[in-house]
Amino acid sequence: MEDFKDLRVWAKAHELTLAVYQKTKCFPKEEIYGLTSQLRRASVSVGANIAEGCGRRSDAEMRRFVQIARGSANEVEYHLLLARDLDLLNADEHKDLEAKILEIQRMLASLAQSLKVTVLASS
């Protein structure tokens, strides 16, 4: 697998993480060990798992880490909904971040599928 920094999905995940950090700066201080921490951790995990999978140098391992990144992306999606419903994000902020995570989820699904085909072909 190529350098993770060359993957569009990693770049999108990194952009999302930067946006999440920016938006969560305004969350209440009592959420620092709650939703703020959970949302930041899950968003970091998406890009970190893509990077780790690239470092494993096998398509099967990369696919496994892409699947883990997909789980983290779903976690981010839920935390964004919760933040909106708790009025920590307004509707526009939520819509913007949700669009980013949905795009990343689609890209991860596509990457996982292409890696599955590659792994099956090499078996």
Side-chain angles (χ1 to χ4, degrees), residues 74-97:
N74 286 340
E75 187 177 350
V76 170
E77 183 181 6
Y78 168 69
H79 290 316
L80 292 173
L81 284 169
L82 181 58
R84 183 201 62 198
D85 292 348
L86 292 171
D87 294 322
L88 301 176
L89 290 174
N90 67 41
D92 288 337
E93 291 170 326
H94 175 262
K95 185 177 179 179
D96 178 56
L97 293 171

Side-chain angles (χ1 to χ4, degrees), residues 10-90:
W10 176 85
K12 297 278 187 183
H14 184 67
E15 289 173 16
L16 172 70
T17 300
L18 296 175
V20 163
Y21 267 77
Q22 187 64 39
K23 295 297 181 190
T24 57
K25 283 181 185 180
C26 300
F27 282 15
K29 293 297 176 206
E30 63 266 16
E31 286 296 334
I32 194 71
Y33 299 111
L35 188 55
T36 302
S37 175
Q38 289 293 308
L39 184 50
R40 287 177 173 187
R41 180 199 57 75
S43 67
V44 166
S45 181
V46 176
N49 276 292
I50 295 167
E52 187 170 356
C54 284
R56 297 301 175 116
R57 303 289 183 214
S58 92
D59 287 341
E61 283 289 300
M62 178 63 182
R63 184 169 189 273
R64 186 168 76 85
F65 281 94
V66 167
Q67 296 293 12
I68 295 168
R70 289 178 74 186
S72 295
N74 286 340
E75 187 177 350
V76 170
E77 183 181 6
Y78 168 69
H79 290 316
L80 292 173
L81 284 169
L82 181 58
R84 183 201 62 198
D85 292 348
L86 292 171
D87 294 322
L88 301 176
L89 290 174
N90 67 41

